[in-house]
Amino acid sequence: MVFSSPVFLFAYLPLTLAVYYLMPLRWRNLALFLLSLVFYGWDKPIYIPVMLFSVTVSYLCGFPIGKYRDRDRHRARVWLVISLVLNLSVLVFFKYTNFIIENLRLIPPLAGVLHPLEWLELPIGISFYTFQIMSYSIDLYRGENETQRSYIAFGTYVALFPQLIAGPIVRYRDVDRQLLSRTHTVDRFASGVRRFAVGFGKKILLGDALAAVYAYLSTAADFEFTVLSGWLMVATYTLHIYFDFSGYSDMAIGLGRMFGFEFPENFRYPYMASSITDFWRRWHITLSTWFREYVYIPLGGNRRGRARQYFNLAVVWLLTGLWHGASWNFVLWGLFYLILLVAEKTFLLRLLERNRLTRVLGHIGALLLVGIGWMIFDHTDLGEAFRIIGGLFGIGTAGFAAATVSWLALRLLPLLAVSVAAATPYPTRLWNRLTGRRPALTVLEPVLLVAVLALSVACAVRSDYSPFLYFNF
C-alpha cells in the first residue's frame, strides 16, 4: 500500500485514525502496531513474519544487553553481536544473495553450478526498519536508552506505518519517551495535516510529473540523443528524486504528528548546498546521521589521522552505496562521492570558502556533480550512464539540440521553473514575509492547502500506480 493510493487515502487512513482515537490511551500502541502490520502486508503478507522475526530477535536480545552492560561488558557485547548478526543476516540474504550469486557466476567453474534464486524478492523497506532496529540494540549497549520491556511498544516503534517503508530512519532514542506517553492536540494534528498535504503535493504534482518527463526522455524513440536532451534528463531526474523522497518524508512526518509522534527532519533544501559536504548534511539527513554515529565515529572518525579518516570514509561510502541497492552502479555512486568528499576535505573546501564568488561557484559545481551522480545512481547499466554523462559534454551526441527536444524543453519551462523555486526556501520566506505584513492573508493558507490536496488526490486517483522511489531500498 502506498500513501498515494485511493485505498490508503479513503479507507485505511480514515479507519486507522478513527480506531486510534476511539481506543483508550493504553491500547493505542497495540492498535497502531496491528494496523501497521496490515499496512505493511497489504500486498505481500508473506513478509510480515520476516519483519516480526527481526523485531522479536532484537526485543529478546535487549534484555541481556540491558542487564549486563554495566556489570559484564563482554557478555553484553556477545548479545549485541548476536542481535546485529541475525538482523544483518536477514538483510543480506534478501537483498544481496542474488547479487553475490551473479558475481560468482562470472568465475567459469561456478557459472553452471550457481543460479539466482528467482523466487527471492526484496521485502519492502527492509533496509529502513533493519537500521532502526539496530539503533535500539547499539544505543542500549551504550547506555543511551533503557530496555523496552513492552513487545507491543517496541513493535510499534519498528512497524509504525508512516515511516516504516521509506523513512525517515528514526533512532529508538528519538521516540522512546513518545512510545510511552505522547501529546495529542488539535494544533499538532492540524500541523500534521498541513505537512502531509505539502508532501503529497510535492510528490504527486511535481515528483510524478518530472518522473513522466524523465521516462519519456529515457525511452522515447522519436528524437535523437543530444546535449540538450542529456541535460534535461539530469535536470528532471535531479528534481524528481528530491520531490519524490522529500515529499514522502514530509508525508511521514505529517502522519506521525497526527498520531502524536515527532519524527526527525530528513531534508533541508539540499540543492542549496555550497559543496558536496554541505549537500550530505542536507540530503537524507537521518541516513547520514546513522552512518556517522554507528559506523564512522566507532571506526575512529577523524581522530586518528588523515589516512585513517579516509579509510573510515571509504567504509562508510561503500556501505552507503550498497545500502541503496545490490548493484555495481550503487558501489560506483558511493565511490564517486568518496572521491569528491576526500578532495573537499583535503583542499577544496578551503578554496570554496574564500569569498562569496567561490561559494557561488561551489554551489554551481555541487549541483552539477550531484546531477551527474544521479545518472550513475539511476542506471544499473553503467554503459548507459556513461553515455548520458558523456552526452552532457557533446560526446556521442547528434548535436546540441533536435527540434523535438527543443520543443519539449520550451513546454517544460513552467514545470522546471516551479520545481526549481519549490526546491529552495524562497517561496516559504516570501509567504512568511507577506503574512507578517498582512496577517489577514493567513486565511488563504488552509484554502491553498485544500486546493493542493484536492488536486493531488485527483491526480493520484487518475494514475494507475504512483510508487515512491525509495521503496526499492
Side-chain angles (χ1 to χ4, degrees):
M1 191 186 305
V2 295
F3 292 166
S4 54
S5 68
V7 172
F8 177 83
L9 294 170
F10 301 122
Y12 179 85
L13 181 57
L15 287 173
T16 299
L17 286 169
V19 170
Y20 179 80
Y21 280 101
L22 288 173
M23 282 282 183
L25 290 175
R26 66 180 181 277
W27 297 110
R28 287 183 178 178
N29 278 347
L30 176 60
L32 269 182
F33 181 41
L34 295 177
L35 289 167
S36 293
L37 292 179
V38 172
F39 176 88
Y40 184 70
W42 187 261
D43 293 318
K44 293 185 178 179
I46 191 174
Y47 289 123
I48 293 178
V50 175
M51 183 177 67
L52 290 180
F53 171 79
S54 295
V55 170
T56 304
V57 163
S58 295
Y59 172 75
L60 294 176
C61 288
F63 288 97
I65 293 172
K67 178 180 179 180
Y68 295 117
R69 69 185 180 190
D70 295 325
R71 52 181 176 173
D72 190 339
R73 296 291 286 180
H74 173 73
R75 188 173 293 185
R77 190 178 301 114
V78 169
W79 284 103
L80 172 65
V81 170
I82 291 173
S83 177
L84 298 183
V85 167
L86 288 175
N87 277 287
L88 285 173
S89 296
V90 174
L91 176 63
V92 169
F93 173 74
F94 281 100
K95 193 165 187 175
Y96 303 105
T97 295
N98 281 337
F99 176 65
I100 294 170
I101 290 174
E102 288 168 0
N103 283 278
L104 288 177
R105 280 170 55 83
L106 298 176
I107 303 173
L110 299 177
V113 178
L114 296 176
H115 301 281
L117 306 178
E118 296 182 0
W119 53 268
L120 187 62
E121 294 184 23
L122 182 66
I124 192 169
I126 189 172
S127 299
F128 286 91
Y129 72 68
T130 299
F131 272 28
Q132 292 197 172
I133 290 172
M134 290 170 62
S135 79
Y136 166 75
S137 301
I138 296 170
D139 287 348
L140 181 60
Y141 174 78
R142 292 175 173 177
E144 295 178 1
N145 55 256
E146 297 303 318
T147 305
Q148 177 52 261
R149 299 190 175 278
S150 168
Y151 183 83
I152 298 302
F154 185 68
T156 302
Y157 157 66
V158 177
L160 195 59
F161 76 89
Q163 46 75 49
L164 169 61
I165 49 182
I169 298 172
V170 180
R171 294 168 297 177
Y172 178 78
R173 68 175 183 264
D174 292 334
V175 295
D176 56 347
R177 294 182 181 178
Q178 298 176 54
L179 289 167
L180 300 176
S181 176
R182 49 191 177 272
T183 303
H184 303 87
T185 66
V186 173
D187 287 342
R188 174 171 286 189
F189 189 92
S191 172
V193 173
R194 287 196 297 270
R195 191 66 180 267
F196 180 87
V198 170
F200 198 35
K202 287 166 69 174
K203 179 344 188 218
I204 298 297
L205 302 181
L206 297 178
D208 283 3
L210 291 160
V213 176
Y214 177 73
Y216 171 78
L217 289 167
S218 301
T219 60
D222 59 349
F223 65 85
E224 296 177 294
F225 182 65
T226 65
V227 174
L228 179 59
S229 61
W231 282 106
L232 282 176
M233 290 179 70
V234 170
T236 52
Y237 189 83
T238 297
L239 290 166
H240 154 64
I241 194 171
Y242 168 70
F243 287 115
D244 188 274
F245 192 20
S246 71
Y248 181 94
S249 294
D250 287 340
M251 295 165 76
I253 291 170
L255 288 167
R257 287 178 185 170
M258 294 183 204
F259 294 95
F261 290 93
E262 193 64 42
F263 299 148
E265 294 292 336
N266 211 21
F267 290 87
R268 187 167 57 85
Y269 299 109
Y271 295 150
M272 297 296 292
S274 59
S275 63
I276 298 299
T277 301
D278 189 29
F279 173 79
W280 280 105
R281 294 190 186 117
R282 297 166 175 264
W283 178 276
H284 205 344
I285 297 168
T286 56
L287 179 66
S288 301
T289 300
W290 199 98
F291 275 114
R292 183 177 69 247
E293 291 201 7
Y294 301 119
V295 179
Y296 181 68
I297 292 176
L299 286 174
N302 58 1
R303 302 187 306 274
R304 299 183 183 179
R306 189 60 64 87
R308 181 57 183 266
Q309 180 187 16
Y310 292 161
F311 171 79
N312 297 340
L313 284 171
V315 172
V316 167
W317 282 98
L318 172 64
L319 294 177
T320 300
L322 286 173
W323 181 88
H324 282 87
S327 177
W328 286 110
N329 67 302
F330 294 113
V331 176
L332 182 60
W333 180 74
L335 177 63
F336 174 75
Y337 275 109
L338 171 66
I339 294 170
L340 295 177
L341 289 167
V342 167
E344 288 192 347
K345 291 182 182 299
T346 304
F347 67 93
L348 198 54
L349 273 181
R350 292 193 297 271
L351 297 177
L352 296 176
E353 294 173 354
R354 281 188 174 182
N355 52 54
R356 185 174 182 179
L357 176 61
T358 57
R359 286 193 292 272
V360 171
L361 292 175
H363 173 65
I364 296 172
L367 280 177
L368 295 177
L369 290 169
V370 167
I372 290 172
W374 287 136
M375 293 299 97
I376 300 172
F377 181 91
D378 185 56
H379 290 86
T380 55
D381 181 350
L382 288 173
E384 179 65 12
F386 291 138
R387 183 181 78 89
I388 295 170
I389 294 170
L392 301 177
F393 307 98
I395 301 172
T397 66
F400 178 78
T404 305
V405 181
S406 299
W407 174 240
L408 177 62
L410 289 174
R411 293 171 56 196
L412 282 176
L413 283 178
L415 174 62
L416 291 174
V418 171
S419 300
V420 169
T424 73
Y426 300 124
T428 300
R429 291 177 185 175
L430 178 61
W431 176 254
N432 291 337
R433 186 177 300 174
L434 290 173
T435 53
R437 292 177 180 176
R438 297 178 179 271
L441 289 175
T442 56
V443 300
L444 294 177
E445 182 177 342
V447 176
L448 293 173
L449 286 173
V450 169
V452 168
L453 188 58
L455 184 57
S456 301
V457 169
C459 292
V461 170
R462 287 182 58 192
S463 175
D464 293 332
Y465 185 52
S466 181
F468 290 90
L469 183 65
Y470 264 66
F471 280 9
N472 298 323
F473 311 127

